Amino acid sequence: MRPAELDRLTVAEAADRYVELVRARTVTGALSSSTAEVYARDVATLVELAGADAVLDDLTGADVDALLLAFARRPDGRLRSPSGGQSPSSQARFRRSISALFKHATLAGWVQINPMTASTVTSKERGGLRPQRRALTREQAQGLIGAARTLGDVAPPEGKRRDQRTELRDAVIVLLLATVGPRVSELVRANVEDFFTNDGVRYWRIFGKGGRTRDVPLPDDVAAVLQEYLARGRA
């Protein structure tokens, strides 16, 4: 149930209260600390774009549209050419972050109506995919996966130190990403002991966001390349 009285907070005051709440959720394990910091960073950007002294309840759907477009056009310092604006994934993340804030604001009585429901700007208007971010074609993807599957049968290259032989490692990375579909962060955090065998089936215990885990069975050909990598691909 919504509060009876509206609390007319400024954008800065609402942001401070919301970020404090988000960081408190890391204590219970509801959010990871890295996710909480992403929310905090996006909310800080909202304050910068909207103005710290603006009243949160005064923001309309048109204002939200303007904020989304302003964020999309901000230079991305991680890119070599910062003039291109934010990537589509960064834009989508920012929208999710401020949507979560306004959803809480509606329940907490900081706004009468959630302005996100009146936002009309589309992803295409925010910028869309850049040409250099196009995906592989089906044929290219199949060729990449096929090459990775055959690397387990290839003899290690001569003239390279053991720690320089990354072919099997790269094959395992491609196959796990393509067949299991983990987050890249989940793959990077994987340890040898996270891969185990149960009743003849090889599993990967994935440690996900918020401390959640899931055991995913690996296809036989992926498990075979993984075993080759563990046997002769690691120092």
Side-chain angles (χ1 to χ4, degrees):
M1 182 179 295
R2 289 184 54 191
E5 297 183 3
L6 182 70
D7 195 352
R8 285 181 60 81
L9 300 175
T10 66
V11 173
E13 290 170 336
D16 287 342
R17 293 191 188 184
Y18 178 70
V19 169
E20 183 179 355
L21 175 68
V22 166
R23 287 177 172 154
R25 294 180 65 191
T26 64
V27 177
T28 62
L31 284 177
S32 68
S33 57
S34 59
T35 300
E37 290 310 309
V38 167
Y39 278 127
R41 186 171 67 247
D42 285 338
V43 169
T45 301
L46 171 66
V47 174
E48 179 185 345
L49 295 175
D53 296 330
V55 176
L56 191 69
D57 186 52
D58 289 343
L59 297 181
T60 65
D63 293 325
V64 170
D65 287 345
L67 291 170
L68 293 172
L69 289 171
F71 177 79
R73 293 164 182 157
R74 284 168 64 97
D76 190 340
R78 299 171 302 173
L79 302 178
R80 292 182 179 179
S81 178
S83 60
Q86 298 291 317
S87 69
S89 60
S90 294
Q91 295 175 43
R93 187 210 66 236
F94 179 72
R95 187 185 183 99
R96 288 194 300 270
S97 295
I98 65 173
S99 293
L101 182 149
F102 279 114
K103 182 178 180 180
H104 175 76
T106 305
L107 295 174
W110 301 346
V111 297
Q112 298 178 73
I113 299 175
N114 186 343
M116 297 299 299
T117 61
S119 173
T120 59
V121 67
T122 65
S123 59
K124 184 175 181 180
E125 291 170 327
R126 294 200 307 269
L129 289 172
R130 297 190 184 94
Q132 63 267 34
R133 297 291 295 273
R134 295 183 193 274
L136 296 175
T137 66
R138 179 186 295 272
E139 291 74 19
Q140 289 170 332
Q142 289 174 338
L144 181 63
I145 294 171
R149 283 174 170 154
T150 59
L151 276 176
D153 300 325
V154 177
E158 298 294 335
K160 284 188 177 181
R161 298 196 312 268
R162 186 182 178 92
D163 61 341
Q164 293 177 324
R165 300 171 185 172
T166 60
E167 291 82 3
L168 276 174
R169 182 205 64 185
D170 295 344
V172 171
I173 290 173
V174 169
L175 290 175
L176 290 176
L177 287 173
T179 59
V180 180
R183 295 181 176 91
V184 172
S185 59
E186 294 172 340
L187 179 59
V188 171
R189 288 198 301 265
N191 294 313
V192 174
E193 55 269 23
D194 299 336
F195 298 92
F196 63 94
T197 302
N198 184 17
D199 198 21
V201 178
R202 193 71 175 232
Y203 287 85
W204 176 15
R205 177 159 294 166
I206 301 176
F207 292 85
K209 297 174 66 175
R212 293 184 290 270
T213 63
R214 59 189 189 277
D215 293 344
V216 181
L218 302 181
D220 291 341
D221 53 349
V222 177
V225 177
L226 171 67
Q227 186 55 42
E228 285 298 316
Y229 170 60
L230 295 177
R232 59 182 177 89
R234 286 176 54 85

